[in-house]
Amino acid sequence: MRILIIEDQARTARELQKGLAVSGIVARVTASGEEALQLLQAESFEALVVDVMLPGMSGLDLVRCLRDEGRVIPALFLSAKGNLEDRLQGLAVGGDDYLAKPYSVLEVAARLRSILRRLQVPPVPGVQQVADLVWDPHTRHIARSGDRIDLTPKEYAIMILLLEHIGEVVPRSQMVQAVWGMDCAVDPNAVDVQVLRLRRKVDDPYPVKLIHTLRGVGLLLEPRGPA
């Protein structure tokens, strides 16, 4: 695994880089969000480890910028600020996980591997279509009415889960397991944040609604509304 660490504290970055190397994770280090954007244009990385409090562009702004550009590279936030509001803010801008300092390097490595495992979607033969939504599993592109929809990794994982169960109710517990992992304790608000963001992209601009909530049960994917 090759990742990019964005951390402005040189000692912290070096210790994290060396610790991850023991776990077989090769890390490059940069000290700012602006430099990270340049590196991401020039090189390929499987994931990001992002300090929230960076000089200039914050870690939150960096990940928000990447998501706005349609970049789905996984991002793990590290921060000294670890209360519920901070964690939810990290998820809301498109982060895939959030770990408060002080942390164990072994846990950082484990969470990175967990994120990448969750994003591994089994190959599906052929293009799949529901109403005007088209999913190409080979390119990972999702579009409605010919307009490409760019999703974050968590949004994409939820969407694929729904596409794999068209017309069936997907329980919240199944979404948590698919997106966050079986042994992960997830605040209910974190699930709601991801579903809300997904709806804004997939349903809000279009007359036919596809994602429906069965209160207290889960989500259902089926077309409803004007033809």
Side-chain angles (χ1 to χ4, degrees):
M1 185 192 309
R2 186 169 187 265
I3 70 164
L4 178 62
I5 297 171
I6 304 98
E7 168 62 69
D8 64 312
Q9 298 296 319
R11 180 177 177 181
T12 299
R14 285 195 304 270
E15 291 177 351
L16 183 56
Q17 184 181 36
K18 291 179 181 178
L20 290 175
V22 175
S23 296
I25 298 174
V26 177
R28 179 159 183 180
V29 175
T30 184
S32 74
E34 292 84 357
E35 291 178 2
L37 289 176
Q38 295 177 6
L39 283 171
L40 288 166
Q41 292 293 331
E43 302 181 33
S44 177
F45 300 94
E46 295 179 66
L48 307 177
V49 173
V50 187
D51 182 26
V52 171
M53 300 176 68
L54 294 170
M57 174 184 283
S58 73
L60 295 174
D61 288 339
L62 168 63
V63 173
R64 184 187 291 111
C65 177
L66 292 173
R67 300 304 182 240
D68 289 344
E69 292 176 354
R71 300 288 297 271
V72 296
I73 183 170
L76 166 61
F77 282 118
L78 301 181
S79 177
K81 302 167 65 176
N83 62 37
L84 177 59
E85 182 179 351
D86 294 319
R87 297 198 305 271
L88 290 178
Q89 186 179 15
L91 296 175
V93 301
D96 297 276
D97 205 344
Y98 193 108
L99 189 57
K101 298 177 181 179
Y103 51 77
S104 162
V105 177
L106 291 176
E107 184 176 7
V108 175
R111 293 209 183 195
L112 285 169
R113 290 199 170 95
S114 177
I115 290 170
L116 291 176
R117 282 198 305 270
R118 295 198 303 265
L119 296 178
Q120 290 176 354
V121 180
V124 179
V127 172
Q128 197 165 343
Q129 183 167 356
V130 182
D132 61 339
L133 183 143
V134 177
W135 170 44
D136 186 338
H138 303 292
T139 62
R140 296 170 63 92
H141 288 176
I142 292 177
R144 284 203 71 173
S145 298
D147 300 323
R148 178 171 172 176
I149 300 173
D150 293 313
L151 303 176
T152 68
K154 282 189 171 64
E155 294 165 359
Y156 185 82
I158 293 173
M159 193 67 219
I160 298 315
L161 186 62
L162 294 174
L163 282 164
E164 291 173 344
H165 298 82
I166 296 172
E168 303 174 15
V169 178
V170 177
R172 290 174 67 90
S173 59
Q174 191 172 351
M175 284 187 283
V176 170
Q177 178 177 337
V179 180
W180 283 273
M182 290 183 62
D183 56 351
C184 184
V186 178
D187 188 280
N189 289 333
V191 181
D192 294 336
V193 165
Q194 298 303 322
V195 172
L196 177 62
R197 289 169 58 91
L198 180 62
R199 272 206 175 99
R200 285 174 177 167
K201 296 178 181 180
V202 172
D203 267 352
D204 284 2
Y206 307 95
V208 176
K209 308 305 178 185
L210 301 178
I211 302 172
H212 309 282
T213 299
L214 278 70
R215 192 171 300 278
V217 182
L219 294 183
L220 173 69
L221 181 69
E222 67 177 18
R224 297 180 186 175

